[in-house]
Amino acid sequence: MNHFQTILPRVRMLLAGHLPSQARALLDSMLERELLSREYYCALLREPDGEALARKISLTLLEKGDPGLALLRWAWGTWQAPLAERDPDDEDRACSGQCAAMELGPLEGGYLELLNSNADPLHLYHLYDHMDPAREEMELCSEPDMDTINCEQFSRLLCDMEGDEETREAYANIAELDQYVFQDSQLEGLSKGFFIEHIGLEEMIGESVETLEEKKSQKRCEVPQASQELPSSSPAIHSLPKSPERPGSTSPFAPSAADLPGMPEPALTSRADVTEEQMSPTRSPAAHEVSSQLPKWPERVEKFCSALRDMYQAEPAGPEGILVEVELVRARLERSSSKSQERELATLDWAERQPARGGLAEVLLAGGDRRRPRETQVIAVLGKAGQGKSRWAREASRAWARGQLPQYDFVFYLPCHCLDRGGDTYRLQDLLFSLGPRPLPVDDEVFSYVWRRPDRVLLILDASEGLEGQDGLLHSACGPVCTEPHSVRGLLAGLFQRKLLRGCTLLLTARPRGRLAQSLSKADALFEVAGFSAEQAKTYLTCYLERAGATERRERALELVQGQPFLLSHCHSPTLCRAVGQLSEALLELGGETELPSTLTGLYVGLLGPAARDSPPGALAGLARLAWELGRRRQGTLLESQFPSAEARAWAVAKGLVQPAPGAAAVGLVFSSFLLQCFLGAVWLALSSDIKDKELPQYLALTPRKKRPYDNWLEGVPRFLAGLVFQPHADCLGALAGPAAATLKDRKQKVLTRYLKRLQPGTLRAGQLLELLHCTRETLDAGLWQHVVQGLPARLSFVGTRLTPPHTYVLGSALEAAGRDFSLDLCSTGIDPPGLGSLVGLSCVTRFRAALSDMVGLWESLQQRGEAKLLRAVEEKFTIEPFKAKSVKDVEDLGNLVQIQRTRSSSEDTAGELPAVRDLKKLEFALGPVSGPQAFPKLVRILEAFSSLQHLDLDSLSENKIGDEGVEQLSATFPRLKALETLNLSQNNITDVGACKLAEALPSLAASLLRLSVYNNCICDMGAESLAHVLPDMGSLRVLDVQYNKFTAAGAQQLAASLRKCPHVETLAMWTPTIPFGVHEHLQQLDSRISLK
């Protein structure tokens, strides 16, 4: 039996002819029984279409199962109305509609058949009153009792449905199908809702009882039946009514996405520090007041949410409380090479970056366009260690606690160091309630409430790379219903694979490299933390000094930072910015003339030196060994039992080297920062006699190896190790470990010196070359530094390698120290405008390439600041030779460059062409068949500006297909392309029409064109004849390629005859499958210049 076809008309009859207050009472009961989400309840209150309201309630009841069916029986028995109260005309029309429907016969099949039928579902109910055949003719003309119709049979039907598990599951699938098919519909523009229209807005916002009753007596909910709209002469079969909110849809089963159960509200707040009212201007006051009248949560749930909000609202003390919002930009993962399966963050040009200017709201909505109904949404925020990911994640939970994320009822923030547990098994409620930073009591009622509303749950997993040490994390045996206890690894894997708590929003923060990051290519949205700009770093330092009580020394501290531009460039990282502030404050407290160190090693020696002097014997070495061993296992959480002694643990906690990790297994501690763990790991490598001298160079990771000893997880170790081994012992390693380590240090220094001097910078990849420069600078060894910079090649390419502010500073220092000229390729490096200006402004940089969009921005910035000298230098050095357009944006950027030249001032200082435009000799156009025809006209309009253009390549592996129209547009520019030597028009869908246009224009290039290719087009005999006719006029042409076209032997003979008149032509490539091979051979025998390859 098709229960849906039977239950839907009953729901319609429950709503038709009753007071709106009774309909609202039904919805209130459904909300109390947790059959509706709060947002869906509000949407139904505003539903203006009674037909749509009936089917939405039906879908909800059928999907939810037993509770909904019991509720419908209650409503059926409660709302019985006397027959005398009904309009006789209504009964007549209902009878006629019923008779018409029964003439159709029962519809076979189910939901999809009903969608495609033309029958009115309102009357299909009577088809399923299993009538006696002998009474059927009499029943066709009798008046049905609309209020007492077969209640006993209906009750039996509901009971059957309640006991049929397969039926409930089938209708749940139907509801999901309905939601998927119509998910693009939007519930927007509703001026009045179903209840507001018939009851009045004042009733919804809490007027007095007297006013409410008065309005109820004046306005009744009049939902017309479909049969009432038909005239008496109408045919028995008519189409389904159209829904007013769904243009073009004739199906009454087409809910919009916003109407479906559990869907979040479309309005979100924009930033963590902006209130909901400010960022939701489209939310009407009426809707806000309606939501304020919603029935309250169960008491235990309310208490749990209140405790959760109080926990997240607590402001951290000390420097942790300083909030300088970091910028997030959209990101994507790509393969590191064509032969590698590893993925890494794609490096975008600065102008291509897409910042999430909407803040937290935009991040949470980013994956909505890819998210399927009832599917977990996975959003990943990636960034290197120390970039501020954890601070941002904590602020997200605090924003919810302040009421700025109303689309979520529950937010669970879980630092992954709390989840680094092995052996024991847990339930999902344990993961959510007990394993977080502040454990909460597990309440089954609260968990049941969370389990039934996964779409209202935001789960934040912070520092997810800390879980990489758990094998099999990405493979789970958990199903959608997880009743058995699992390991933490199993539960997390179930969440990652969208099997467990399906429908929630999962927000991850992680470093971009590692095994976990490789699995994030299928995430719904990826973002990258951009770090601090120079202004944000200054703001953070100012706030830090004020909070530390050093307001009177603030200016002096900022002067110290400005005096060390190397450390200032590292303030791009919030963690290092804080470390610089700490050391500045400590140095100013000592008084006297002082300055900050010039290296990262010196920075951390300055911070740890005072603590090391007060340490118990062996405490620093023991902590350094722990840091190294944990890093080898990709971990950062320490147990109390791992410390060499209780005094060492107390010392490390008191000095702030480690800090408690609330919620971690046993008595857990974590390093205060990842970079501190890297520094301590390097200290262990420098002090340990267990590390063999011949193994030490491997830890610099400057030469390619199949597997590095520590797999680059402790990515800061190479620079710290070089600094600790090479810097003066008394000021560096001796300040930490005393004079006893001097002999060991000298031996390791000799080993690393031999290794670094054997390296050839010109053979290293761009990333390794930058790391070599950083390590060499940390040594403060002038001889070693000169040896490395003198080995730099004259042409340096950093394409695809991220150039951060520290990279830019070190590279600029190396180029200046080399004392010779360099050419740089800075395309696809993501270099920021200040860094780009500082590099290209160096006198030793004579030529450079960079993204066109970045250069246009740099020129405009220099013009606005009036830096005429630097502007002229940039113009003279910038080159785009050769240029390959691979996207519409590339063509548009090239057009902007030409426009800059055309609008330059006519003064003597800026007269003449831009060197980048003037000197372009090779231009490739490879946009493919979709974007090619769209962008080619834009390219044609600017071609004449490139007076030195020699090679124009319009061939692409995916075919540009500029067609005959494109050839005609291109031919018009030939008179101004005086230097063109090579023209490649292969694979562009050119026919005889285009070939004739090309032949007419070719004489304009007779003095310069050397090579012409129209390979693999659609040129037939007429086009071949046109090219043959113009061939003798092309005095400079040496090679003509017409292979793989469609001309026949006649066209080939025309070309061969013309070739005999052209002694200057060296090769005519003419093989094509439409010519018999014998003809080819004959023509080649007549003229050996004809090529058949």
Side-chain angles (χ1 to χ4, degrees):
M1 180 183 294
N2 191 320
H3 301 311
F4 182 81
Q5 294 180 351
T6 307
I7 195 172
L8 179 61
R10 280 132 173 101
V11 176
R12 285 196 182 98
M13 285 186 290
L14 285 175
L15 296 177
H18 292 88
L19 294 176
S21 59
Q22 293 176 311
R24 184 180 180 183
L26 173 62
L27 295 179
D28 290 342
S29 300
M30 294 176 68
L31 182 64
E32 292 173 0
R33 294 169 184 247
E34 301 178 355
L35 300 178
L36 295 174
S37 67
R38 296 160 66 88
E39 288 68 32
Y40 195 42
Y41 171 83
C42 293
L44 293 182
L45 287 179
R46 296 190 296 270
E47 175 59 63
D49 188 353
E51 185 75 13
L53 180 64
R55 58 179 167 73
K56 292 173 185 177
I57 292 178
S58 300
L59 284 173
T60 303
L61 294 177
L62 289 171
E63 179 184 1
K64 297 299 182 179
D66 296 349
L69 299 176
L71 178 69
L72 195 57
R73 285 203 303 271
W74 165 81
W76 184 270
T78 305
W79 290 5
Q80 294 299 316
L83 180 62
E85 294 183 6
R86 303 190 61 83
D87 188 346
D89 294 336
D90 292 345
E91 297 178 4
D92 294 339
R93 286 189 289 267
C95 178
S96 63
Q98 179 195 9
C99 296
M102 292 192 65
E103 291 174 5
L104 294 173
L107 287 175
E108 298 296 333
Y111 175 67
L112 292 179
E113 287 78 357
L114 184 58
L115 277 177
N116 295 322
S117 72
N118 290 325
D120 188 343
L122 178 62
H123 308 301
L124 292 178
Y125 158 75
H126 300 282
L127 296 176
Y128 297 94
D129 280 340
H130 299 284
M131 298 177 295
D132 182 68
R135 299 175 54 194
E136 183 174 353
E137 184 176 353
M138 295 176 57
E139 291 291 330
L140 286 175
C141 300
S142 61
E143 291 186 357
D145 189 345
M146 299 295 290
D147 290 328
T148 59
I149 196 165
N150 238 344
C151 294
E152 181 179 351
Q153 179 188 357
F154 182 51
S155 298
R156 289 199 305 271
L157 169 64
L158 297 181
C159 291
D160 293 340
M161 291 174 62
E162 288 178 328
D164 189 353
E165 182 65 29
E166 293 184 1
T167 300
R168 291 203 303 271
E169 182 178 355
Y171 278 110
N173 294 334
I174 287 174
E176 291 189 7
L177 172 65
D178 176 77
Q179 185 177 15
Y180 174 76
V181 171
F182 301 105
Q183 63 180 325
D184 56 343
S185 303
Q186 298 296 325
L187 185 64
E188 295 178 352
L190 296 181
S191 58
K192 291 185 177 182
F194 174 78
F195 292 94
I196 297 178
E197 178 181 358
H198 296 288
I199 301 177
L201 180 62
E202 293 78 10
E203 296 177 18
M204 302 298 295
I205 57 177
E207 277 195 345
S208 64
V209 177
E210 293 78 11
T211 306
L212 178 62
E213 293 300 327
E214 180 181 353
K215 287 187 175 290
K216 284 184 179 179
S217 64
Q218 295 175 358
K219 299 184 179 180
R220 300 295 185 189
C221 176
E222 300 175 357
V223 181
Q225 298 187 18
S227 60
Q228 293 175 328
E229 300 174 357
L230 292 174
S232 57
S233 60
S234 297
I237 303 175
H238 55 86
S239 62
L240 296 174
K242 291 187 177 182
S243 176
E245 267 62 49
R246 299 158 188 81
S249 175
T250 59
S251 172
F253 305 98
S256 62
D259 296 341
L260 292 168
M263 294 295 287
E265 290 182 342
L268 284 178
T269 58
S270 178
R271 289 183 180 270
D273 54 352
V274 181
T275 64
E276 178 187 353
E277 290 76 11
Q278 291 172 324
M279 298 312 301
S280 303
T282 59
R283 188 176 182 184
S284 64
H288 176 73
E289 297 193 28
V290 168
S291 63
S292 66
Q293 301 294 326
L294 293 177
K296 295 182 178 180
W297 289 340
E299 184 178 356
R300 288 187 178 181
V301 177
E302 189 71 42
K303 289 183 178 179
F304 176 82
C305 284
S306 178
L308 206 59
R309 293 180 190 276
D310 292 342
M311 180 176 66
Y312 293 150
Q313 276 182 331
E315 292 288 342
E320 290 293 332
I322 302 174
L323 176 61
V324 177
E325 186 176 0
V326 293
E327 186 178 54
L328 268 64
V329 296
R330 288 182 177 267
R332 68 174 186 270
L333 292 174
E334 63 181 11
R335 288 185 179 179
S336 56
S337 66
S338 59
K339 298 182 180 180
S340 174
Q341 296 298 322
E342 291 188 4
R343 295 179 181 271
E344 58 185 20
L345 280 176
T347 303
L348 304 177
D349 294 320
W350 185 264
E352 292 180 334
R353 299 159 73 251
Q354 301 179 37
R357 304 194 185 281
L360 180 59
E362 181 177 339
V363 171
L364 295 176
L365 284 174
D369 54 343
R370 297 179 55 185
R371 184 182 188 182
R372 293 188 299 172
R374 304 180 185 278
E375 191 69 38
T376 296
Q377 182 180 17
V378 179
I379 301 171
V381 177
L382 306 178
K384 288 191 173 182
Q387 293 293 89
K389 304 182 299 297
S390 297
R391 185 72 178 87
W392 182 88
R394 289 194 296 270
E395 191 59 30
S397 62
R398 189 168 292 113
W400 171 79
R402 294 195 296 262
Q404 295 172 6
L405 298 177
Q407 71 271 30
Y408 298 112
D409 290 339
F410 305 93
V411 171
F412 298 97
Y413 170 76
L414 299 174
C416 288
H417 63 73
C418 299
L419 308 179
D420 190 8
R421 302 162 184 257
D424 297 333
T425 57
Y426 302 91
R427 301 170 299 169
L428 179 60
Q429 48 265 53
D430 299 323
L431 175 68
L432 298 179
F433 298 162
S434 302
L435 302 185
R438 297 182 185 177
L440 296 169
V442 177
D443 191 308
D444 291 338
E445 180 180 356
V446 176
F447 176 72
S448 175
Y449 200 85
V450 172
W451 179 259
R452 291 195 301 268
R453 293 166 178 79
D455 56 299
R456 306 286 297 171
V457 176
L458 172 62
L459 182 58
I460 304 174
L461 294 180
D462 186 23
S464 302
E465 70 278 352
L467 301 172
E468 292 185 2
Q470 302 187 21
D471 293 332
L473 178 63
L474 303 178
H475 304 282
S476 170
C478 291
V481 180
C482 183
T483 57
E484 297 296 328
H486 288 76
S487 65
V488 172
R489 175 191 58 80
L491 294 174
L492 292 175
L495 291 170
F496 290 155
Q497 297 181 36
R498 298 178 169 93
K499 294 180 179 179
L500 198 58
L501 203 62
R502 186 176 178 183
C504 70
T505 299
L506 185 61
L507 181 60
L508 304 173
T509 68
R511 291 203 287 276
R513 297 190 63 180
R515 284 176 287 179
L516 179 62
Q518 304 304 314
S519 66
L520 294 178
S521 57
K522 295 183 180 180
D524 297 289
L526 287 175
F527 290 87
E528 182 182 7
V529 181
F532 280 167
S533 64
E535 294 77 11
Q536 288 174 323
K538 183 177 179 180
T539 301
Y540 182 90
L541 288 172
T542 302
C543 295
Y544 177 86
L545 294 171
E546 290 178 351
R547 183 163 292 206
T551 307
E552 65 281 357
R553 298 191 296 268
R554 181 180 59 191
E555 296 301 326
R556 174 58 182 153
L558 293 177
E559 290 178 4
L560 288 179
V561 178
Q562 294 289 341
Q564 287 294 349
F566 176 74
L567 290 184
L568 183 60
S569 69
H570 276 88
C571 288
H572 167 76
S573 165
T575 297
L576 284 172
C577 189
R578 176 180 173 180
V580 170
Q582 287 177 323
L583 187 57
S584 301
E585 178 192 4
L587 292 177
L588 290 177
E589 287 181 354
L590 296 176
E593 293 295 327
T594 185
E595 63 179 11
L596 288 171
S598 59
T599 63
L600 284 181
T601 307
L603 173 67
Y604 274 86
V605 169
L607 291 173
L608 267 68
R613 288 193 291 269
D614 301 335
S615 65
L620 180 62
L623 185 62
R625 180 173 184 172
L626 279 175
W628 171 251
E629 292 178 349
L630 289 172
R632 291 284 298 271
R633 298 197 298 267
R634 296 172 174 265
Q635 295 175 350
T637 304
L638 305 89
L639 300 179
E640 187 177 59
S641 58
Q642 293 176 308
F643 282 89
S645 64
E647 293 79 6
R649 178 191 180 280
W651 164 79
V653 173
K655 298 300 181 180
L657 305 181
V658 296
Q659 56 191 19
V667 184
L669 296 161
V670 293
F671 291 98
S672 59
S673 72
F674 177 75
L675 286 178
L676 177 61
Q677 184 180 0
C678 292
F679 179 77
L680 290 172
V683 169
W684 170 250
L685 291 178
L687 293 177
S688 174
S689 58
D690 298 337
I691 305 296
K692 297 180 180 179
D693 293 344
K694 64 179 182 179
E695 296 178 356
L696 194 63
Q698 299 177 4
Y699 299 110
L700 294 183
L702 294 177
T703 52
R705 307 185 69 85
K706 292 183 178 179
K707 185 176 180 182
R708 300 186 181 97
Y710 58 98
D711 199 19
N712 256 1
W713 198 76
L714 291 175
E715 54 191 20
V717 164
R719 303 179 196 180
F720 288 131
L721 177 60
L724 289 169
V725 171
F726 279 90
Q727 289 188 21
H729 183 76
D731 299 331
C732 189
L733 196 59
L736 300 175
T743 304
L744 188 61
K745 168 185 172 295
D746 293 340
R747 190 174 72 245
K748 294 186 176 184
Q749 181 177 336
K750 293 178 182 178
V751 172
L752 291 182
T753 300
R754 289 195 302 269
Y755 170 73
L756 292 174
K757 287 188 175 182
R758 284 200 307 266
L759 288 177
Q760 299 178 1
T763 63
L764 298 178
R765 296 192 301 268
Q768 291 178 323
L769 177 60
L770 291 171
E771 191 64 29
L772 173 62
L773 294 177
H774 277 286
C775 291
T776 308
R777 192 189 185 284
E778 288 290 324
T779 64
L780 293 182
D781 188 318
L784 190 58
W785 174 252
Q786 279 298 319
H787 173 80
V788 171
V789 299
Q790 291 301 326
L792 293 175
R795 302 184 64 179
L796 292 169
S797 175
F798 297 94
V799 177
T801 302
R802 184 71 55 90
L803 287 181
T804 60
H807 290 337
T808 303
Y809 178 84
V810 171
L811 178 60
S813 301
L815 297 179
E816 284 185 308
R820 51 194 176 88
D821 294 340
F822 291 93
S823 174
L824 302 179
D825 191 343
L826 304 176
C827 294
S828 300
T829 59
I831 186 171
D832 59 356
L836 179 61
S838 65
L839 278 182
V840 303
L842 297 174
S843 59
C844 58
V845 176
T846 57
R847 291 175 68 84
F848 74 94
R849 288 172 55 89
L852 277 177
S853 52
D854 290 351
M855 286 307 305
V856 170
L858 178 61
W859 276 327
E860 293 175 351
S861 175
L862 294 176
Q863 285 176 343
Q864 292 174 359
R865 298 201 302 265
E867 299 185 32
K869 183 178 179 180
L870 181 57
L871 178 60
R872 286 194 300 269
V874 170
E875 290 177 350
E876 291 296 327
K877 299 175 183 179
F878 177 58
T879 180
I880 58 174
E881 168 66 24
F883 185 81
K884 184 174 183 178
K886 295 183 290 186
S887 66
V888 177
K889 181 180 179 300
D890 292 338
V891 178
E892 293 174 347
D893 291 341
L894 193 63
N896 292 335
L897 181 65
V898 173
Q899 185 64 26
I900 288 178
Q901 173 177 279
R902 291 172 176 173
T903 58
R904 293 180 74 196
S905 171
S906 59
S907 65
E908 184 178 352
D909 292 339
T910 57
E913 295 179 307
L914 285 173
V917 177
R918 180 192 63 209
D919 299 335
L920 179 63
K921 292 180 174 59
K922 183 177 180 180
L923 175 59
E924 297 182 58
F925 182 82
L927 270 69
V930 177
S931 301
Q934 172 190 353
F936 188 69
K938 300 178 181 179
L939 179 66
V940 170
R941 287 195 290 269
I942 60 175
L943 273 180
E944 62 185 45
F946 304 106
S947 57
S948 301
L949 186 63
Q950 297 177 356
H951 188 145
L952 180 58
D953 189 350
L954 303 181
D955 186 13
S956 173
L957 292 177
S958 57
E959 303 185 9
N960 290 311
K961 293 188 177 181
I962 64 172
D964 297 333
E965 183 180 355
V967 171
E968 183 177 3
Q969 295 170 350
L970 176 64
S971 300
T973 66
F974 286 171
R976 291 175 290 278
L977 299 178
K978 301 295 185 181
L980 189 62
E981 297 178 352
T982 301
L983 177 60
N984 188 350
L985 295 172
S986 302
Q987 305 187 107
N988 274 293
N989 203 28
I990 301 172
T991 67
D992 283 344
V993 176
C996 293
K997 293 291 183 182
L998 177 65
E1000 292 175 5
L1002 279 177
S1004 302
L1005 302 175
S1008 64
L1009 191 64
L1010 300 177
R1011 290 167 291 274
L1012 173 63
S1013 175
V1014 287
Y1015 168 91
N1016 194 18
N1017 281 289
C1018 304
I1019 300 174
C1020 298
D1021 288 338
M1022 184 182 298
E1025 182 180 354
S1026 299
L1027 292 174
H1029 179 73
V1030 77
L1031 194 58
D1033 299 332
M1034 305 299 295
S1036 62
L1037 189 65
R1038 298 293 180 267
V1039 178
L1040 174 62
D1041 188 349
V1042 292
Q1043 294 185 96
Y1044 286 93
N1045 277 278
K1046 297 184 178 181
F1047 54 83
T1048 63
Q1053 290 172 355
Q1054 291 278 352
L1055 286 168
S1058 180
L1059 181 63
R1060 289 193 290 270
K1061 304 175 185 178
C1062 305
H1064 54 276
V1065 177
E1066 299 174 356
T1067 302
L1068 173 60
M1070 196 172 58
W1071 190 92
T1072 179
T1074 56
I1075 302 176
F1077 185 73
V1079 175
H1080 276 138
E1081 283 188 326
H1082 175 69
L1083 294 175
Q1084 189 180 36
Q1085 290 172 359
L1086 294 176
D1087 195 329
S1088 62
R1089 293 176 296 173
I1090 297 177
S1091 173
L1092 302 181
K1093 296 180 179 179

